[in-house]
Every structure is written in structure tokens, then in C-alpha cells.
Amino acid sequence: MALEEYQKKRDFKKTSEPKGGVEKRDVKIFVVQRHDSRRLHYDLRLERDGVLKSWAVPKGVPLDVGVKRMAVKTEDHPLGYAGFEGTIPKGEYGAGSVKIWDKGTLEINKWGDDEIVFTPHGEKINSPYVLIKMKSSARFPGENNWLLFRKKIR
Ligand code: MN
């Protein structure tokens, strides 16, 4: 089940985040949420297979070409999460405030296991971006570490 991990982590009696389900739609969306949690970060979410594939980007989505940012893969979120803003109560998973930083429609240009190219059509970001999966290393162990950067257009 695509959203099992998302739902397991949350108590929907206590948090106002959506419980959600898997949906299929023609026009895809993206959202970037500013999440002022234990550590401030930005959550990049891309619609794929009826859910929002998600990465936590500690320093935020780069606006300039040539800037690479760390992006840590997190659990899939329901599509309804793209509209979520508010406060996750103290003691709950991800406690803190969530605000939409940018959102809009999404083009997927390539979706591979190790490389994703996508074009968000938002107000702050509106050009192709690349996500590259990093190989597990001593410094960055595990399978969830990616790099996010703006694609160079010639
Ligand atoms: Mn987050």
C-alpha cells in the first residue's frame, strides 16, 4: 500500500493533516512546503502514480543554475497534502508549522530509478529540475539521499 508508511506515522485524531488515498488524475501537480519543524526544511512533492513522491530539502529548492542541494527521500504523501497548511501539534510526527512555498502543475520529463527530470510550473520555480540519487557512502549512507539542482538549458 502506497500510503501505509504515511498513515502509520500519524494519529489522525490529533493532526489535521489529510489521511488521503491513492488517486489518478490527468494534470499532475507539484508542491513545495516550508516545514518549520525541529529543523526547518522544505518538502518537495511530485505527483506520480496517484500519490505525492516526497523529498525533504534542508536548504530549499535552488533558484539558480549551478547550485546543488541535498534532498532526502521521505514517505509518499496523499495528493490532498498539496493543499495542506497549518500546525502539526506538539508530540506528533513532524510537529511544527507547514506553509505552501510554491505549487502548480508538473511535467515529468524523465522518471528513472536514479534520475528524475521534472518541470514545475509555479510562481517561484518554473524551469526544468533534476533529481539524482546518490550512491550510498560513508558520509551519506543509505538509499534515500538525492541531489536536486536546476537543469542547464543551452
Ligand atoms: Mn517535512
Side-chain angles (χ1 to χ4, degrees):
M1 255 219 19
L3 295 171
E4 197 175 2
E5 189 183 349
Y6 171 87
Q7 289 169 347
K8 250 190 345 216
K9 282 179 170 169
R10 290 166 176 82
D11 182 348
F12 294 100
K13 288 186 194 111
K14 292 183 180 158
T15 182
S16 57
E17 294 165 288
K19 187 153 188 273
V22 178
E23 300 170 51
K24 287 273 156 71
R25 309 189 301 193
D26 287 341
V27 178
K28 308 291 183 208
I29 57 159
F30 85 96
V31 66
V32 180
Q33 283 152 320
R34 183 183 190 278
H35 188 180
D36 197 355
S37 187
R38 218 155 50 86
R39 269 193 196 164
L40 174 68
H41 61 275
Y42 292 76
D43 289 301
L44 168 68
R45 309 192 197 280
L46 308 178
E47 181 172 350
R48 178 79 174 174
D49 296 335
V51 296
L52 295 169
K53 300 289 173 183
S54 299
W55 289 260
V57 187
K59 293 184 176 171
V61 177
L63 297 175
D64 297 321
V65 171
V67 180
K68 286 191 169 75
R69 293 274 161 85
M70 189 78 179
V72 181
K73 188 90 172 63
T74 57
E75 77 273 20
D76 295 348
H77 279 51
L79 293 185
Y81 208 93
F84 177 75
E85 287 191 307
T87 302
I88 301 167
K90 224 176 152 183
E92 295 307 298
Y93 180 72
S97 78
V98 176
K99 280 201 180 102
I100 294 170
W101 180 79
D102 201 12
K103 70 185 287 188
T105 58
L106 172 71
E107 278 174 66
I108 300 293
N109 309 107
K110 176 186 174 177
W111 195 284
D113 290 340
D114 305 331
E115 186 184 8
I116 295 165
V117 183
F118 65 99
T119 307
H121 296 291
E123 283 176 18
K124 293 194 173 89
I125 52 174
N126 195 344
S127 65
Y129 278 81
V130 183
L131 275 162
I132 300 268
K133 191 173 173 179
M134 294 167 68
K135 287 208 178 79
S136 183
S137 65
R139 191 159 173 230
F140 299 108
E143 297 300 312
N144 293 325
N145 299 312
W146 295 63
L147 286 173
L148 170 67
F149 55 93
R150 257 185 81 176
K151 189 181 163 86
K152 258 185 211 150
I153 314 261
R154 358 156 158 228

